[in-house]
Amino acid sequence: MRDIIPIVNIDSVNIRDINIRKLEELTSCEYKTLSAYLIGKIPASQLLDGDELTLFNKELTHPMEVKAINADKLVIVLKATRLCNLRCTYCHSWAEGPNQSISFDILIRAVHKILSIPNVNRFEFVWHGGEVTLLKPLFFKKLIWLQQQFKRPEKYITNTMQPNIVNLSEEWLTFIKGIGMNVGISLDGVPAVNDKRRVDYRGKGTSERVAMGIKNYSITIYYTVHLSLSIGKYIKQI
């Protein structure tokens, strides 16, 4: 497991005294829970800037009253940013604005309200863009920290991100592996179709770079296919 998830790269707290053998015996769910717990233990003053700390302390003074819903699990899809390094033919979100990325005050209020739903104990946050990896990993570290501050002990939270992995940085790769985050990617079918629709700012297709990213990054990938096409053969190839 140490080769799959670089435990020492969780740089939020010093965990050198934790028994590595015990960590290697954890299931993926237990590992995600532990990594989120450790991030949640970072002192607010070490993670948040002055303005963010003020907003957080102010939010703590606001009682949150939320009605129960008819569900025991909730999947929440949120757009973290409109910024994108692709120019897909059917999407112009990257050109909308201002306020291209979610602000901290909106983020903190959304997390607080969602986790205050009284009868739901399982939450899956799915983070879309734009391209979420154009934000820094620090954004997600703060997000996970906020989730830990507002969750009740019995609540189970997972986070999934939907990058295009056309240009995933080593910093992001380390963070994704370090916290065990789920990753989904989008394809528009076989390369001949995908490369007409999912293009970069120069108009060049992206399927080859996506395939290379999947091969090189060695992370668990969940495919989201936009078209009802048979791509099984292509998936096996990459």
Side-chain angles (χ1 to χ4, degrees):
M1 183 173 179
R2 190 180 306 175
D3 294 334
I4 300 174
I5 302 177
I7 295 169
V8 295
N9 287 326
I10 301 180
D11 60 355
S12 53
V13 293
N14 185 356
I15 61 170
R16 295 185 181 278
D17 295 332
I18 295 178
N19 189 305
I20 296 299
R21 184 178 299 277
K22 292 295 184 182
L23 286 174
E24 292 175 339
E25 294 173 355
L26 295 178
T27 66
S28 61
C29 289
E30 290 171 334
Y31 182 87
K32 293 173 186 177
T33 300
L34 175 61
S35 62
Y37 170 82
L38 292 173
I39 290 176
K41 289 300 182 181
I42 304 173
S45 59
Q46 294 183 18
L47 183 62
L48 308 181
D49 64 31
D51 291 339
E52 292 168 343
L53 187 57
T54 298
L55 288 169
F56 173 70
N57 289 330
K58 183 179 179 180
E59 185 67 24
L60 292 178
T61 66
H62 290 169
M64 185 66 70
E65 297 182 3
V66 183
K67 295 181 179 179
I69 63 174
N70 186 26
D72 54 11
K73 178 182 178 180
L74 187 63
V75 178
I76 311 100
V77 180
L78 296 169
K79 185 182 287 289
T81 182
R82 295 190 187 100
L83 298 173
C84 193
N85 54 356
L86 299 187
R87 296 296 182 262
C88 300
T89 58
Y90 47 80
C91 177
H92 302 285
S93 180
W94 59 270
E96 299 173 5
N99 302 321
Q100 293 284 63
S101 300
I102 190 171
S103 61
F104 187 78
D105 59 331
I106 298 298
L107 180 66
I108 191 174
R109 176 52 59 99
V111 170
H112 189 187
K113 188 170 186 177
I114 291 167
L115 294 182
S116 296
I117 299 174
N119 63 310
V120 177
N121 289 327
R122 294 180 65 88
F123 298 85
E124 180 180 359
F125 289 79
V126 182
W127 297 92
H128 278 249
E131 171 55 27
V132 291
T133 62
L134 293 183
L135 302 176
K136 295 294 185 181
L138 181 60
F139 168 84
F140 277 90
K141 183 180 289 187
K142 292 178 179 179
L143 159 68
I144 294 170
W145 185 88
L146 288 172
Q147 291 172 340
Q148 293 299 304
Q149 308 314 306
F150 292 120
K151 73 183 288 290
R152 295 195 303 270
E154 68 274 16
K155 292 185 181 293
Y156 179 72
I157 301 171
T158 59
N159 289 283
T160 299
M161 63 185 300
Q162 188 82 13
N164 56 46
I165 70 167
V166 169
N167 188 27
L168 189 64
S169 69
E170 288 297 325
E171 181 185 16
W172 260 113
L173 180 61
T174 296
F175 183 76
I176 290 170
K177 287 187 175 182
I179 65 172
M181 182 181 284
N182 296 331
V183 176
I185 63 168
S186 297
L187 293 170
D188 280 6
V190 295
V193 176
N194 182 88
D195 289 350
K196 290 181 180 179
R197 299 167 61 86
R198 297 184 63 81
V199 298
D200 62 19
Y201 68 94
R202 296 170 296 184
K204 293 186 176 181
T206 57
S207 61
E208 184 175 343
R209 280 171 283 177
V210 171
M212 186 63 65
I214 295 172
K215 180 179 179 180
N216 291 341
Y217 296 140
S218 300
I219 54 181
T220 301
I221 298 292
Y222 300 89
Y223 299 93
T224 301
V225 184
H226 288 160
L227 300 178
S228 298
L229 296 175
S230 174
I231 65 166
K233 182 177 180 179
Y234 175 59
I235 294 297
K236 290 180 180 179
Q237 290 175 349
I238 62 177

